[in-house]
Amino acid sequence: SSSVFKTDKLKTCYQNEYSSTMCILDSYRYYHDILSQKLVSLAEKNPTVNENIDIIDKEINQICLTFPPPVYLDELADFTHKITECLVDQMKQKIDKLDEELDK
């Protein structure tokens, strides 16, 4: 089905610096939604866990928003790609950690 194809694309397009900005943003949203859902599941399973999406977003942003901004317009796509790749990689690591917690 097309949704499976779309999901596969969403899972990989942030890795490709030649992807459209739209695909990269959709990929970010895709992983962010998964992360949010996992946090809700974890809170339901263990109400004492004090993790929320705002805190995690801030932590991830602090890690990834350290690249120097582009000087020239033609560096903008590369800059956007680097940051998005970092954001998504960080979210995926967090999702993996949450999965471990959820599997306990």
Side-chain angles (χ1 to χ4, degrees):
S1 74
S2 64
S3 67
V4 172
F5 171 74
K6 188 165 190 251
T7 302
D8 284 347
K9 192 174 176 195
L10 285 175
K11 285 179 176 174
T12 57
C13 73
Y14 75 93
Q15 298 168 321
N16 180 354
E17 57 198 293
Y18 303 107
S19 290
S20 73
T21 306
M22 207 59 235
C23 185
I24 289 171
L25 283 172
D26 285 346
S27 180
Y28 172 83
R29 283 193 201 100
Y30 170 77
Y31 283 104
H32 199 266
D33 287 348
I34 292 174
L35 185 56
S36 300
Q37 288 161 10
K38 300 271 182 198
L39 285 167
V40 170
S41 301
L42 187 60
E44 285 167 0
K45 184 181 174 190
N46 184 353
T48 61
V49 171
N50 191 18
E51 291 217 81
N52 69 55
I53 196 70
D54 295 334
I55 292 170
I56 291 171
D57 279 343
K58 277 187 185 136
E59 287 171 355
I60 290 176
N61 288 345
Q62 281 179 328
I63 293 167
C64 295
L65 299 180
T66 54
F67 296 107
V71 179
Y72 302 105
L73 195 58
D74 63 355
E75 295 171 351
L76 193 59
D78 186 49
F79 176 72
T80 307
H81 169 252
K82 265 189 204 155
I83 286 183
T84 312
E85 190 167 38
C86 177
L87 293 168
V88 174
D89 284 342
Q90 290 294 322
M91 284 192 287
K92 285 171 78 176
Q93 286 176 34
K94 194 73 194 172
I95 288 165
D96 288 344
K97 281 187 186 141
L98 292 171
D99 280 339
E100 285 173 22
E101 291 294 316
L102 288 164
D103 287 343
K104 280 182 182 170

